[in-house]
C-alpha cells in the first residue's frame, strides 16, 4: 500500500507544471498567437505622443483650424447653394479635416505598431482568428468571468481610474486660484488657459498610463510564462517526439558499433603487422607501395578489442610486434583509415622492414 502511494505521489509530481517551457514549446505558442502582450502599453504610448504632437505642432494645428472655420464662416456661409457648390464644399471640408488630423493619425499608427513590436517582435499569424466552438462554451465563459485573471483585470481598472483621478485633482488644484479668477479675464485668455491646462493634464495622465502599461506588460509576461510551463513528463514526451525514443536510439547506436567493429575485424587479416602495448593497445597497419603513400591504420583497439585483434592476427598468421611508445602514439594520434603521422614514419619503417625480413620479402 505504501509503495502504491509513493508511485502515485511521484506520478502526480511529474504531472505538475513546474518546469520552464522549452524553445520548441515557446515557438509553438508563438505560432498560435500566444505571446506576452499588453494592450495598455501601445495605447498609452500613442496617447502620450499625441499630446507631444500637439505641443510641437501647435502652430500647424492653429493654422489648419483657422483655415477650416474661416472658410466656413467667411466664404461659404453667404454662398448660393447649388449641387456643384455643396460637393465642392464637402470635398474641401474633408480635405481640411484630413490635413488637420493627419499628424495625429500618423503618430497613433506608428506607436501602436512600435508598442506591439517592442513587446513580442514581428508576428503575423491567423491562428487566433480561426473559429473554435470551444469559445462558445457557456460554462467555460462563466468560469472566465469569475476567474483570477478577471479579478486582476478589475483591480487594474480600478487602480488606473484612481491614479488618473488623483492626477486630475492635483493638476487642477495647483491652478485653482487661476480657475476662480477666470470670470475677470477675456475669452481669449480663458481659451488659452484651458488649452494649457488640457496639455498639462494630458501629459501627466498619459505618462502615468505609460508607467502602468509597462507594469501591465511585466505582469502579462509573468502570466504568459506561467501559462506555458511544462511538467517533467511533458518535457520527456517532447524529447521523444523530436529526438526519438532514447531506448531505441541506444539500441541503434549499439548495433552500429557492433557493425563497425565487425567491419574493422574483417580488415585485420589483411594487415602487415600488429603493433601492441602488449596488453592494452593493438594497432593493425597495412602498406601497399603501389597504392599508398604511407602505411595506413586498418584497425585499432584497447583492452578487449585489442585482445580480439591479436587473436584474429594469430589465427591468420599476421605478425605481432611489441612496441609500447609506438603503439600508444599511433592509437592517440590517428584514427582507422588514416595514414600514420609523418614524424612516425621512421619508427614504422623499421617495424615493416623487420616484418618483411621475417616473411622473406623485400620492400
Amino acid at each position: 500500500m505504501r509503495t502504491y502511494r509513493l508511485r502515485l505521489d511521484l506520478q502526480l509530481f511529474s504531472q505538475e507544471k513546474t518546469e520552464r517551457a522549452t524553445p520548441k514549446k515557446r515557438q509553438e505558442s508563438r505560432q498560435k498567437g500566444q505571446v506576452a502582450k499588453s494592450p495598455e502599453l501601445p495605447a498609452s504610448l500613442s496617447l502620450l505622443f499625441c499630446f507631444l504632437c500637439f505641443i510641437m505642432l501647435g502652430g500647424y494645428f492653429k493654422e489648419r483650424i483657422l483655415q477650416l472655420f474661416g472658410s466656413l464662416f467667411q466664404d461659404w456661409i453667404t454662398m448660393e447653394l447649388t449641387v456643384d457648390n455643396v460637393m465642392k464644399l464637402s470635398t474641401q471640408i474633408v480635405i481640411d479635416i484630413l490635413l488637420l488630423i493627419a499628424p495625429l493619425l500618423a503618430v497613433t499608427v506608428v506607436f501602436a505598431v512600435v508598442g506591439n513590436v517592442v513587446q513580442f517582435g514581428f508576428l503575423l499569424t491567423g491562428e487566433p482568428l480561426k473559429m473554435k466552438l470551444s469559445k462558445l462554451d457557456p460554462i467555460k465563459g462563466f468560469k472566465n468571468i469569475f476567474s483570477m485573471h478577471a479579478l486582476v483585470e478589475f483591480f487594474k481598472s480600478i487602480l488606473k481610474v484612481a491614479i488618473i483621478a488623483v492626477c486630475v485633482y492635483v493638476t487642477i488644484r495647483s491652478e485653482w486660484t487661476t480657475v476662480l479668477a477666470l470670470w475677470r479675464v477675456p475669452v481669449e485668455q480663458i481659451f488659452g488657459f484651458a488649452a494649457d491646462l488640457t496639455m498639462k493634464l494630458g501629459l501627466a495622465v498619459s505618462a502615468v498610463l505609460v508607467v502602468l502599461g509597462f507594469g501591465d506588460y511585466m505582469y502579462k509576461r509573468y502570466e504568459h510564462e506561467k501559462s506555458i510551463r511544462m511538467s517533467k513528463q511533458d518535457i520527456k514526451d517532447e524529447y521523444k517526439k523530436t529526438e526519438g525514443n532514447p531506448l531505441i536510439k541506444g539500441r541503434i547506436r549499439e548495433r552500429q558499433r557492433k557493425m563497425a567493429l565487425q567491419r574493422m575485424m574483417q580488415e585485420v587479416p589483411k594487415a602487415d603487422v600488429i603493433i601492441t602495448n602488449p596488453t592494452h593497445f593493438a594497432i593493425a597497419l597495412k602498406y601497399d607501395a603501389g597504392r599508398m603513400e604511407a602505411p595506413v591504420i586498418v584497425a585499432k583497439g584497447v583492452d578487449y578489442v585489442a585482445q580480439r585483434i591479436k587473436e584474429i592476427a594469430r589465427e591468420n598468421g599476421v605478425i605481432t610486434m611489441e612496441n609500447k611508445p609506438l603503439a600508444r602514439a599511433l592509437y592517440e594520434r590517428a584514427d582507422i583509415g588514416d595514414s600514420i603521422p609523418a614524424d612516425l614514419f621512421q619508427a614504422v619503417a623499421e617495424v615493416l622492414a623487420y616484418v618483411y625480413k621475417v616473411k622473406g620479402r623485400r620492400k
Side-chain angles (χ1 to χ4, degrees):
M1 184 67 178
R2 185 174 300 173
T3 305
Y4 173 75
R5 280 185 181 176
L6 180 59
R7 289 179 179 175
L8 184 60
D9 291 340
L10 290 174
Q11 185 177 3
L12 292 175
F13 177 74
S14 65
Q15 295 296 328
E16 291 182 0
K17 297 186 181 297
T18 56
E19 307 300 318
R20 294 190 63 182
T22 60
K24 184 175 182 295
K25 174 71 172 179
R26 294 179 185 276
Q27 184 63 27
E28 290 177 351
S29 299
R30 182 177 176 83
Q31 291 175 354
K32 295 177 182 178
Q34 299 173 358
V35 292
K37 60 179 178 180
S38 170
E40 308 290 341
L41 189 58
S44 58
L45 284 173
S46 298
L47 182 63
L48 175 62
F49 282 91
C50 279
F51 279 104
L52 292 176
C53 184
F54 277 124
I55 294 175
M56 292 185 291
L57 301 177
Y60 172 83
F61 288 111
K62 178 182 177 182
E63 180 183 350
R64 287 296 169 184
I65 291 174
L66 291 177
Q67 182 177 347
L68 174 62
F69 289 97
S71 299
L72 285 175
F73 293 113
Q74 292 179 11
D75 302 331
W76 300 102
I77 198 169
T78 58
M79 76 176 182
E80 182 180 354
L81 292 178
T82 63
V83 175
D84 295 336
N85 287 341
V86 171
M87 291 300 297
K88 186 176 180 181
L89 171 62
S90 302
T91 304
Q92 187 62 42
I93 290 175
V94 170
I95 293 174
D96 289 340
I97 292 175
L98 289 177
L99 291 174
L100 178 64
I101 65 174
L104 298 178
L105 289 176
V107 168
T108 303
V109 171
V110 167
F111 283 95
V113 173
V114 170
N116 285 289
V117 171
V118 167
Q119 293 182 78
F120 52 84
F122 183 77
L123 177 62
L124 186 62
T125 177
E127 189 69 24
L129 301 178
K130 291 183 179 179
M131 183 177 179
K132 296 181 180 179
L133 296 178
S134 59
K135 295 181 179 180
L136 302 177
D137 187 0
I139 298 177
K140 188 176 180 180
F142 184 79
K143 289 181 179 179
N144 291 334
I145 293 175
F146 295 96
S147 63
M148 180 59 68
H149 176 75
L151 186 62
V152 171
E153 292 295 327
F154 173 74
F155 279 111
K156 278 165 48 181
S157 301
I158 296 296
L159 177 64
K160 188 191 306 182
V161 172
I163 293 177
I164 291 174
V166 170
C167 290
V168 173
Y169 173 76
V170 171
T171 304
I172 294 179
R173 186 172 179 81
S174 63
E175 302 288 343
W176 190 246
T177 305
T178 307
V179 172
L180 294 178
L182 287 178
W183 64 275
R184 294 181 297 181
V185 299
V187 177
E188 293 83 357
Q189 294 185 16
I190 294 176
F191 278 112
F193 171 77
D196 291 339
L197 186 60
T198 302
M199 289 296 104
K200 288 181 181 179
L201 281 173
L203 290 174
V205 170
S206 56
V208 170
L209 289 178
V210 169
V211 176
L212 292 178
F214 181 76
D216 183 59
Y217 166 70
M218 298 304 295
Y219 171 75
K220 293 288 187 182
R221 188 171 179 178
Y222 163 77
E223 198 175 43
H224 174 69
E225 290 291 330
K226 187 177 179 181
S227 67
I228 63 174
R229 282 181 185 173
M230 305 174 67
S231 63
K232 295 182 182 297
Q233 187 62 40
D234 292 336
I235 296 177
K236 290 180 181 178
D237 293 341
E238 182 185 288
Y239 179 78
K240 288 180 181 180
K241 288 180 180 178
T242 55
E243 302 294 334
N245 194 318
L247 183 61
I248 296 176
K249 290 184 68 177
R251 290 177 180 175
I252 293 174
R253 285 195 295 267
E254 182 64 26
R255 188 171 181 179
Q256 290 173 343
R257 282 195 294 268
K258 289 182 178 179
M259 293 176 65
L261 181 62
Q262 185 178 2
R263 287 194 300 269
M264 183 182 72
M265 293 304 179
Q266 292 174 355
E267 296 295 324
V268 174
K270 304 175 184 178
D272 292 322
V273 64
I274 308 296
I275 301 176
T276 64
N277 191 24
T279 55
H280 297 295
F281 297 92
I283 294 90
L285 298 178
K286 179 177 178 60
Y287 180 60
D288 186 345
R291 294 186 302 171
M292 301 177 184
E293 295 181 357
V296 175
I297 297 176
V298 295
K300 72 174 186 176
V302 293
D303 298 334
Y304 170 77
V305 177
Q307 297 300 325
R308 182 62 183 155
I309 290 174
K310 289 188 287 185
E311 289 176 6
I312 296 176
R314 282 195 297 269
E315 293 173 358
N316 292 272
V318 180
I319 297 176
T320 300
M321 289 191 62
E322 178 182 340
N323 190 325
K324 296 180 181 179
L326 182 59
R328 182 178 292 274
L330 289 171
Y331 183 85
E332 293 178 350
R333 297 174 55 186
D335 291 326
I336 297 172
D338 293 346
S339 299
I340 63 172
D343 57 334
L344 298 178
F345 280 178
Q346 181 66 32
V348 173
E350 293 175 0
V351 171
L352 290 176
Y354 173 77
V355 170
Y356 294 151
K357 184 177 180 179
V358 171
K359 288 183 177 182
R361 291 165 42 188
R362 290 294 177 268
K363 185 176 179 182

